[in-house]
Amino acid sequence: MRTHATLTERRSPWVVFARHDDPWLSTETDELQRQGGRVIRLDGEELRDPQALFAAFARQLGFPPYFGHNWDALVDCLHDWHGHGGDSRDAAILIDRADGLLGAEFLGCFVSVLCQAAWRANLQLDADGIPAEDTPPFTLHFTFLLTATPPAAFTTATANGMDVAVTQEENRLTATLTGPDWPDTAPRA
């Protein structure tokens, strides 16, 4: 069974690389907003090094002052977003002008972190794969929007992330988590 990329459902793939003018994007963001979700945009030009990336996420998403400005803290703050100033709406985070990230040494780690945060937020599972009882799941997906670089060019760099599997889907590249530590459990009603 093939799983198509979505920004409106609590399932993988968690990260998508797509052209900025891909019709899929407008269809998905329109549907997310129609369902009451929100679209948040970050500028890929501001994410060229980890410290600038952490600062941009903290600023745009309103992370709490105790945000640790490291990869683990980014996973935690994205996963716990509803608990510290974020509202309970589903969200898609779009990274505009992401072409320049292709050469970033940290890209594989960054995609892995985004996948981990989305996995935790969408499924609200603990490290043992057991559903959290006190935190409702919310839809969270990430899309890298490209203007000149084909999504397939990101395959090798993205696949270098820990436990990241990539798939070419139509004109998009999708990334999700793989392996026994990341069960892709269907959301509970």
Side-chain angles (χ1 to χ4, degrees):
M1 183 173 103
R2 187 170 181 180
T3 303
H4 293 286
T6 180
L7 298 178
T8 60
E9 298 175 30
R10 291 191 332 259
R11 62 171 175 79
S12 68
W14 309 122
V15 175
V16 177
F17 289 81
R19 295 223 3 110
H20 70 95
D21 56 356
D22 186 335
W24 166 86
L25 180 67
S26 59
T27 300
E28 288 292 316
T29 55
D30 289 350
E31 181 60 21
L32 178 66
Q33 291 172 322
R34 190 191 66 70
Q35 293 175 11
R38 59 192 163 159
V39 174
I40 297 155
R41 297 187 97 97
L42 292 156
D43 185 351
E45 294 291 317
E46 294 181 25
L47 310 179
R48 296 279 184 108
D49 67 77
Q51 290 311 309
L53 183 149
F54 300 138
F57 268 80
R59 181 181 64 253
Q60 290 297 108
L61 279 63
F63 286 173
Y66 58 80
F67 170 57
H69 293 263
N70 60 58
W71 297 116
D72 290 336
L74 184 59
V75 171
D76 291 342
C77 279
L78 287 168
H79 166 251
D80 296 336
W81 198 11
H82 288 167
H84 53 67
D87 57 37
S88 60
R89 292 184 292 165
D90 297 333
I93 298 175
L94 309 182
I95 301 173
D96 292 305
R97 302 186 320 157
D99 300 74
L101 291 170
L102 180 58
E105 290 182 18
F106 61 86
L107 181 63
C109 179
F110 182 33
V111 172
S112 178
V113 162
L114 296 179
C115 285
Q116 292 172 46
W119 180 84
R120 289 175 62 185
N122 280 278
L123 303 176
Q124 288 298 346
L125 302 176
D126 67 16
D128 296 320
I130 298 171
E133 294 180 18
D134 57 346
T135 309
F138 63 98
T139 303
L140 178 63
H141 292 279
F142 301 89
T143 303
F144 288 72
L145 300 174
L146 309 169
T147 56
T149 310
F154 284 81
T155 301
T156 301
T158 300
N160 284 333
M162 182 180 75
D163 296 334
V164 173
V166 296
T167 303
Q168 185 71 35
E169 177 185 295
E170 297 174 22
N171 293 322
R172 291 171 220 102
L173 182 72
T174 62
T176 193
L177 296 169
T178 186
D181 292 336
W182 310 105
D184 197 4
T185 305
R188 309 215 192 280

